[in-house]
Amino acid sequence: MTTVLVTGADGQLGQCIQNITHQFPSLDFLFADRNTLDITVANDVLDFFETNAIDWCINCAGYTAVDNAENDQENAYKVNSIGAKNMAQACQKNDVKMVHISTDFVFDGLKTTPYTELDKTNPVNVYGESKLKGENEIKQILDKHFIIRTSWLYSEYGNNFMKTMLGLAQDRQELSVVNDQLGTPTYAGDLARVVLNIIKLRSQDYGVYHYSNEGITSWFEFAKAIFEESNIELYIIPIETKDYPTLTKRPRYSVLDKSKIKKMLNVEILDWRQSLRKALLKLNL
């Protein structure tokens, strides 16, 4: 039996993994939230690894509040960089293979074609910088790693764009949504399955990979699709980023090229709209 530790178990991806464990009978799971395992405390992480026999670790733990990170840099780096380093060191010491979740925000968004794993990183905000530093820590410490960059993650769990839109629709007749930031939504349930298949198949094709659903859209078009698929009638106004100022600069274009993960790991990827239907169905159940 292969034992898999999942950190950040109470987050979107962690909960989606918990949902499908029964489909992976060859894997035994240890789920840890921050109360069980604080990845920012190196000694606690080492103790946890020495107390439990672990074969693989999926590091879903992360500081993901993008706007808050600008004024809370210490904690963003503590979780996304130092935490990743602590996990990598424990994995290295105990011969554990690691899957680490990263982000499209490691790029500046100045390209107009999908970002490959070989493209130059250049984050434009603290969140992206802290995640990139975490990636680099892992690369320096641990050979047996999969770093999976994903984008616009949403699910039936936690706080995310899909659930925010549905919440706002409860008491609004109209809504303004940014239409000049392009990317691809990723259903966390799809990503969970990809990650567990990597472990189930005992892949040794370590390295950095990009994964999102297929297609390109804007936040405005994503919102429109959420309402259409939910049969909600709401007037949505497309606006520009400058009309909706936030604390954080965001990449204008963050579409990820998935050629490598499809070729190397034989991953099949659904169109983002198909996956949105699945997520809404789960949410309504």
Side-chain angles (χ1 to χ4, degrees):
M1 188 73 89
T2 301
T3 301
V4 182
L5 167 65
V6 182
T7 62
D10 53 351
Q12 289 193 77
L13 183 56
Q15 291 188 75
C16 283
I17 290 172
Q18 291 188 59
N19 244 350
I20 58 171
T21 53
H22 63 282
Q23 297 172 24
F24 293 83
S26 64
L27 306 180
D28 194 24
F29 291 89
L30 271 174
F31 288 98
D33 59 16
R34 189 180 174 183
N35 295 324
T36 317
L37 176 62
D38 185 345
I39 69 166
T40 67
V41 183
N43 286 338
D44 288 1
V45 174
L46 286 170
D47 287 346
F48 192 92
F49 273 71
E50 280 162 17
T51 308
N52 299 281
I54 301 162
D55 301 298
W56 284 79
C57 164
I58 307 170
N59 186 32
C60 304
Y63 186 108
T64 57
V66 177
D67 284 326
N68 291 352
E70 295 299 310
N71 293 323
D72 191 20
Q73 297 190 22
E74 186 182 346
N75 281 318
Y77 278 97
K78 203 171 166 185
V79 178
N80 293 340
S81 173
I82 295 167
K85 178 183 178 181
N86 292 341
M87 295 301 292
Q89 285 176 334
C91 286
Q92 175 64 24
K93 188 176 178 188
N94 294 278
D95 194 26
V96 174
K97 293 166 276 292
M98 182 180 191
V99 181
H100 175 75
I101 307 303
S102 192
T103 175
D104 56 325
F105 275 32
V106 298
F107 298 113
D108 56 21
L110 298 179
K111 274 188 79 179
T112 52
T113 55
Y115 280 94
T116 75
E117 292 82 356
L118 298 175
D119 279 321
K120 186 176 182 293
T121 52
N122 184 32
V124 294
N125 56 44
V126 169
Y127 170 68
E129 286 169 3
S130 67
K131 290 296 286 184
L132 180 60
K133 197 159 187 295
E135 284 189 13
N136 291 334
E137 294 284 8
I138 292 165
K139 288 177 192 173
Q140 286 170 18
I141 295 164
L142 183 67
D143 292 332
K144 296 177 181 178
H145 70 259
F146 291 87
I147 292 169
I148 302 179
R149 294 176 182 147
T150 192
S151 62
W152 297 22
L153 200 67
Y154 72 96
S155 69
E156 59 271 32
Y157 301 109
N159 299 315
N160 56 68
F161 185 79
M162 178 184 77
K163 289 178 71 178
T164 297
M165 290 299 106
L166 291 171
L168 290 171
Q170 303 279 328
D171 53 9
R172 302 271 184 101
Q173 269 71 56
E174 66 174 50
L175 209 54
S176 300
V177 184
V178 170
N179 197 33
D180 59 352
Q181 291 174 24
L182 298 177
T184 313
T186 307
Y187 175 43
D190 290 346
L191 178 55
R193 191 170 301 282
V194 168
V195 170
L196 293 189
N197 273 321
I198 289 171
I199 297 171
K200 178 188 170 185
L201 299 171
R202 297 181 183 178
S203 177
Q204 294 182 18
D205 293 310
Y206 304 114
V208 178
Y209 290 88
H210 288 173
Y211 179 85
S212 69
N213 285 118
E214 292 283 23
I216 300 172
T217 193
S218 68
W219 291 110
F220 168 75
E221 292 293 343
F222 187 22
K224 215 164 92 171
I226 291 165
F227 297 134
E228 282 171 8
E229 296 292 345
S230 305
N231 295 314
I232 294 171
E233 288 188 20
L234 191 72
Y235 183 56
I236 319 176
I237 305 157
I239 60 169
E240 294 182 17
T241 300
K242 65 179 175 60
D243 299 321
Y244 185 72
T246 60
L247 276 173
T248 312
K249 188 178 178 187
R250 284 166 164 79
R252 287 294 183 96
Y253 181 95
S254 62
V255 180
L256 299 173
D257 183 303
K258 278 85 67 176
S259 305
K260 182 182 175 186
I261 201 165
K262 286 193 268 192
K263 182 183 174 186
M264 298 288 289
L265 303 179
N266 200 26
V267 170
E268 291 182 13
I269 305 177
L270 289 177
D271 179 81
W272 69 266
R273 191 139 183 170
Q274 281 178 277
S275 289
L276 172 61
R277 286 186 202 116
K278 284 200 303 183
L280 286 167
L281 193 62
K282 286 274 179 73
L283 187 63
N284 291 328
L285 288 173

